[in-house]
Amino acid sequence: MIYKSTRNPDNIVTASQAILEGLASDGGLYVPTEIKPISLDWNELKEFSYQEMAQFVLKEFLGDFTQEQIQSCVQGAYNDGFDHENIAPLKDADGHYYLELFHGETIAFKDMALSILPYLMTTANEINHNEKDIVILTATSGDTGKAAMAGFADVPGTEIIVFYPNGGVSSIQERQMLTQEGQNTHVFAVNGNFDDAQKKVKDLFNDQAFNEELASKNKQFSSANSMNIGRLVPQVVYYFFAYAQLIKRGEIKPNEKIDFSVPTGNFGNILAGYYAKQLGLPIGKLICASNDNNVLSDFFESGNYNTNREFILTISPSMDILISSNFERLLYHALNDDTNALVTMMDDLKDKGSYQVTEDTLANFSDFLADYATEKETLSEINAVYQSSDYVIDPHTAVASKVARKLSSQRENPLVIVSTASPYKFPEAVLNGLNIDTDSMDDDALLNNLREFTDIDFPPAINKINENPADERTIIPIEEMKDAIRRIIAE
Ligand SMILES: *Cc1c(COP(=O)(O)O)cnc(C)c1O
């Protein structure tokens, strides 16, 4: 498989080059030039471990990696750094299945890809005989930052710099980032929201003079955001793995369709589900679930992508995004690879904050259903699932769960809800959902109270934030991000 930029069809690269670059230099995102259905023998696939499934799926996407290279990346990533032997277990609750993607080191689904990305990047460096050090720039709505720092900590030849919105992440998320160890990890709170930080990171990627300055120091930028194909591709794996597990357990028959409900922010997770479907996985509907920042559900209804609205800080902060980067990829596919039409829309988005697609184009999004859950609905969903099944879900998962419930009359297949974070990462919101007054509780009290509701012990990630010393929070204005990076690369 090879890749091309959404904004220039002549900009064609191999998988390893796309991973090293992160973003295309023309401002576009790399997409597979073509994805064809592969043959799927479920009798064999249903016995696959997560690691075997990862090798099976990744070889489709990583055209210029050898089998041995893929295998060694997979082994480095998916091992006892996860606190569950299945890596991505499926839990039965409330009449459907929750695919738990939070058993990695930072207890959010970002670990599924960020535990392997450093291996993919260093291998891509070898394949391309690249001698430059890689400087990873990452804007985070809370979870990518920690997972990227954990993945890249002390990886030779890499420097990792993370920017998160000051006041826009949960207290546990912030403490996780500030307690990260590693000589090469750097984290800043910026005065702005996630969209501001993500936009600035994109601008710096495309800042030619800055790139040259870096090159003169024998360094180059790359991205650990889901704009990097190396983040997206490992996420395709768990869609296949979930399906195989359902067959193994006798819940579905081979080739029976299932639906997935995905709590969506930057549109990376659900896009991986779309690529899984393109590869031939029998998916019925992909449910795009948003919180009060409901740009996407409005788009699916009207064909109008409109960011001219208030940016709302919610109890599902990792989905507080108005400009979903990966949506550009889906839009490009829906436009049948019409680069000019895409560029016009992306210019409209930049200049007017909105763009409109035609009725015909909108019809090309029929793999998806979409809706959103309000704050109140999210809280009551946490309670509803707990009452029905004694199962505690985090607020992001609750958004997906609620939206699937809202859309139940429009779908018929067995349902998997993609569970993206451990409830321990958002204890305050979860306890509020369970009708507990948390006003007087500090982090420790929140965690201990939540412990009473779950039948699982604190994951290692929670013990770590108590053991490791926390750095001071460093707050900078968005305009100073460039200088902050300069100081780090000068060291
Ligand atoms: C990042 C994140 C999301 C959103 O995923 P996207 O790939 O950005 O759509 C949802 N839930 C949690 C917990 C996350 O960390």
Side-chain angles (χ1 to χ4, degrees):
M1 197 179 285
I2 53 169
Y3 296 83
K4 63 177 170 179
S5 166
T6 50
R7 302 202 194 175
N8 175 3
D10 299 326
N11 183 358
I12 292 183
V13 295
T14 62
S16 67
Q17 289 167 334
I19 290 170
L20 280 182
E21 274 187 58
L23 251 91
S25 55
D26 51 47
L29 301 178
Y30 288 117
V31 289
T33 52
E34 188 182 27
I35 305 184
K36 280 193 263 183
I38 54 175
S39 84
L40 299 169
D41 175 357
W42 289 108
N43 266 331
E44 187 191 350
L45 294 174
K46 74 179 185 344
E47 302 301 335
F48 274 14
S49 64
Y50 193 87
Q51 293 80 353
E52 287 167 326
M53 191 63 88
Q55 285 180 57
F56 174 77
V57 172
L58 289 176
K59 75 175 178 346
E60 296 301 323
F61 288 97
L62 303 177
D64 62 336
F65 285 59
T66 65
Q67 272 298 4
E68 291 71 36
Q69 286 170 327
I70 293 175
Q71 187 179 5
S72 113
C73 291
V74 166
Q75 280 168 352
Y78 305 117
N79 50 38
D80 52 15
F82 283 74
D83 66 21
H84 196 289
E85 57 176 1
N86 268 1
I87 306 294
L90 262 184
K91 173 96 186 171
D92 261 75
D94 203 37
H96 33 252
Y97 312 95
Y98 288 83
L99 177 62
E100 295 187 348
L101 301 181
F102 53 77
H103 289 279
E105 208 178 321
T106 75
I107 57 176
F109 97 98
K110 304 297 195 291
D111 292 321
M112 302 308 293
L114 282 163
S115 55
I116 195 169
L117 185 63
Y119 294 95
L120 297 177
M121 242 179 221
T122 43
T123 308
N125 245 350
E126 282 165 30
I127 294 172
N128 292 283
H129 308 289
N130 186 18
E131 303 288 323
K132 292 202 186 87
D133 285 350
I134 298 173
V135 179
I136 314 263
L137 292 190
T138 289
T140 182
S141 55
D143 289 331
T144 287
K146 172 65 185 182
M149 287 196 285
F152 282 95
D154 293 328
V155 172
T158 68
E159 210 61 62
I160 162 104
I161 310 174
V162 170
F163 302 96
Y164 67 92
N166 190 25
V169 302
S170 87
S171 153
I172 301 282
Q173 285 178 312
E174 181 169 51
R175 274 174 66 188
Q176 278 191 305
M177 290 190 274
L178 296 178
T179 53
Q180 176 62 47
E181 295 174 311
Q183 288 299 316
N184 62 340
T185 64
H186 313 270
V187 60
F188 299 91
V190 296
N191 278 332
N193 62 38
F194 172 74
D195 283 336
D196 301 328
Q198 175 162 260
K199 185 176 174 302
K200 188 69 186 178
V201 164
K202 273 191 173 178
D203 288 348
L204 292 173
F205 267 113
N206 297 325
D207 179 334
Q208 203 158 350
F210 200 30
N211 276 283
E212 279 162 20
E213 191 179 322
L214 231 70
S216 73
K217 298 194 161 70
N218 205 31
K219 296 180 199 289
Q220 78 177 73
F221 284 134
S222 190
S223 161
N225 280 104
S226 51
M227 295 181 282
N228 192 323
I229 205 82
R231 261 288 296 280
L232 278 182
V233 163
Q235 295 177 174
V236 179
V237 175
Y238 47 74
Y239 288 91
F240 280 83
F241 188 66
Y243 192 90
Q245 292 296 298
L246 287 175
I247 291 185
K248 184 175 177 149
R249 282 157 51 167
E251 310 276 353
I252 57 169
K253 302 224 160 38
N255 303 324
E256 187 177 340
K257 284 188 174 150
I258 65 172
D259 298 337
F260 285 93
S261 184
V262 188
T264 296
N266 226 359
F267 212 80
N269 196 353
I270 195 167
L271 187 71
Y274 177 75
Y275 286 157
K277 185 170 183 180
Q278 305 272 293
L279 266 188
L281 188 68
I283 295 178
K285 292 291 180 190
L286 289 160
I287 300 170
C288 174
S290 301
N291 65 21
D292 271 327
N293 296 292
N294 57 350
V295 178
L296 285 165
S297 52
D298 283 355
F299 172 85
F300 282 106
E301 205 172 294
S302 65
N304 186 239
Y305 194 103
N306 192 343
T307 64
N308 296 314
R309 62 179 78 201
E310 192 191 343
F311 186 104
I312 300 170
L313 294 176
T314 72
I315 52 170
S316 46
S318 302
M319 299 157 67
D320 289 347
I321 294 174
L322 298 180
I323 303 178
S324 298
S325 289
N326 285 292
F327 200 66
E328 173 170 343
R329 289 186 160 113
L330 183 67
L331 180 62
Y332 180 71
H333 300 309
L335 290 166
N336 300 315
D337 297 8
D338 182 342
T339 305
N340 291 334
L342 179 95
V343 169
T344 306
M345 287 173 195
M346 291 299 111
D347 285 346
D348 283 351
L349 183 61
K350 204 162 133 208
D351 301 339
K352 298 187 272 186
S354 72
Y355 61 83
Q356 175 77 45
V357 303
T358 63
E359 284 288 321
D360 284 352
T361 301
L362 193 57
N364 290 344
F365 291 91
S366 61
D367 291 318
F368 296 84
L369 293 174
D371 208 335
Y372 76 104
T374 64
E375 296 287 272
K376 222 170 134 196
E377 288 173 328
T378 305
L379 290 170
S380 69
E381 183 69 12
I382 292 171
N383 201 34
V385 174
Y386 182 69
Q387 295 302 334
S388 90
S389 314
D390 269 349
Y391 182 54
V392 181
I393 56 176
D394 102 288
H396 302 77
T397 308
V399 168
S401 189
K402 178 66 190 184
V403 167
R405 201 185 291 279
K406 280 181 158 180
L407 294 171
S408 54
S409 67
Q410 294 177 50
R411 37 163 301 271
E412 54 203 11
N413 304 310
L415 173 67
V416 174
I417 290 165
V418 178
S419 180
T420 50
S422 160
Y424 282 125
K425 206 157 187 175
F426 303 95
E428 185 171 11
V430 175
L431 285 169
N432 292 157
L434 298 170
N435 294 321
I436 307 293
D437 180 1
T438 55
D439 278 354
S440 58
M441 294 187 197
D442 62 11
D443 280 351
D444 285 337
L446 291 168
L447 291 166
N448 287 323
N449 265 277
L450 184 54
R451 175 74 189 82
E452 305 290 313
F453 286 91
T454 68
D455 52 7
I456 37 170
D457 249 324
F458 291 155
I462 292 298
N463 295 327
K464 269 197 193 152
I465 57 171
N466 289 324
E467 287 158 13
N468 294 355
D471 292 339
E472 286 287 321
R473 173 194 300 134
T474 313
I475 307 171
I476 58 170
I478 297 273
E479 308 78 60
E480 281 176 24
M481 284 168 60
K482 188 171 181 173
D483 282 335
I485 297 165
R486 259 205 191 107
R487 279 194 295 277
I488 290 165
I489 58 180
E491 279 167 13

